[in-house]
Amino acid sequence: DTGVSQDPRHKITKRGQNVTFRCDPISEHNRLYWYRQTLGQGPEFLTYFQNEAQLEKSRLLSDRFSAERPKGSFSTLEIQRTEQGDSAMYLCASSLVGVGVQPQHFGDGTRLSIL
Amino acid sequence: AQSVTQLDSHVSVSEGTPVLLRCNYSSSYSPSLFWYVQHPNKGLQLLLKYTSAATLVKGINGFEAEFKKSETSFHLTKPSAHMSDAAEYFCVVSGLAGGTSYGKLTFGQGTILTVHP
């Protein structure tokens, strides 16, 4: 069990550029979640997948954001035309499907800084 | 709807003294509750979870939490603080929606724990 892996750990980019982050969940986990955490706040839910199906998206996920999980394994989160307000830590988590709520295991996140 | 309120944004204790981090929740359903810890520039690590079994839940690193339905509270405690406990702690609620356990987490604002030597 290598845990949830996120790449890159840090991304600095200019306003208006597109960025893409990758998340590799724990291998047997079929649920994958994306959260955003701004400075001094708790993480906020963005979206989640069960296998390759994207089952829910938060209102925080504007049309500039898109997430995919094409083969039900790794996932990507793309932000187009980045804005200053997109600066945050983007966290990925994964979990099993089971009886009741299963705990989510988090990666170390990708910190995005918009210049 | 579900929400979590962490009553203290900062808690400061001396090494070897007890830790109390307070959390109140609101949930339309029977909640599942968690405590996560986050060290600087790291992801979140699960400390413990409550899922309607025993109301006193033991977690890792000597932490425990007690679910009190009458008070809608889920406070985190530790008998004796260690320097390595210094971090940010999040109380988290997850519920069932429409009968499907999808596990969307709602986080509190966090409590920063400082441990003095």
Side-chain angles (χ1 to χ4, degrees):
Chain A
D1 178 2
T2 57
V4 177
S5 177
Q6 292 189 246
D7 183 71
R9 290 294 314 279
H10 303 276
K11 180 70 176 179
I12 302 173
T13 192
K14 294 181 179 179
R15 185 166 50 96
Q17 298 295 304
N18 299 344
V19 294
T20 300
F21 312 140
R22 177 180 169 123
C23 172
D24 287 90
I26 294 171
S27 57
E28 63 269 25
H29 286 184
N30 36 22
R31 284 194 178 141
L32 186 148
Y33 307 79
W34 286 99
Y35 293 84
R36 181 171 69 187
Q37 184 178 22
T38 53
L39 207 59
Q41 303 294 317
E44 296 173 294
F45 171 80
L46 291 178
T47 188
Y48 100 101
F49 293 82
Q50 182 159 320
N51 301 314
E52 64 275 12
Q54 188 174 18
L55 297 186
E56 184 171 346
K57 293 193 291 186
S58 162
R59 286 171 295 175
L60 293 174
L61 212 65
S62 76
D63 56 6
R64 296 185 297 105
F65 287 70
S66 62
E68 294 182 343
R69 195 183 183 198
K71 297 181 180 178
S73 57
F74 73 91
S75 175
T76 57
L77 177 67
E78 180 183 16
I79 309 174
Q80 295 182 325
R81 305 180 304 282
T82 52
E83 301 174 356
Q84 292 280 351
D86 296 332
S87 295
M89 175 80 89
Y90 290 84
L91 293 164
C92 176
S94 69
S95 74
L96 290 166
V97 175
V99 175
V101 176
Q102 299 299 311
Q104 295 178 23
H105 300 263
F106 284 81
D108 284 344
T110 293
R111 182 169 296 283
L112 174 64
S113 298
I114 307 298
L115 301 178
Chain B
Q2 56 199 28
S3 65
V4 171
T5 302
Q6 292 184 242
L7 300 172
D8 307 290
S9 59
H10 290 82
V11 169
S12 181
V13 301
S14 297
E15 191 175 20
T17 64
V19 176
L20 170 64
L21 305 182
R22 299 181 295 164
C23 171
N24 287 110
Y25 71 90
S26 172
S27 176
S28 303
Y29 308 95
S30 296
S32 293
L33 293 159
F34 306 84
W35 278 96
Y36 280 84
V37 61
Q38 187 176 35
H39 290 90
N41 297 313
K42 300 286 283 185
L44 296 119
Q45 180 184 18
L46 179 66
L47 279 179
L48 49 82
K49 64 175 181 176
Y50 166 77
T51 53
S52 76
T55 55
L56 183 62
V57 182
K58 293 189 183 300
I60 62 171
N61 301 335
F63 285 94
E64 61 183 37
E66 186 171 9
F67 175 73
K68 292 186 177 180
K69 186 174 182 179
S70 60
E71 299 176 9
T72 62
S73 70
F74 189 58
H75 302 333
L76 181 70
T77 61
K78 183 174 180 177
S80 176
H82 192 273
M83 295 295 291
S84 62
D85 294 328
E88 188 162 17
Y89 292 78
F90 292 96
C91 184
V92 183
V93 64
S94 177
L96 306 180
T100 300
S101 173
Y102 68 96
K104 171 185 169 182
L105 301 181
T106 301
F107 285 76
Q109 296 286 78
T111 299
I112 295 173
L113 176 65
T114 302
V115 182
H116 299 287

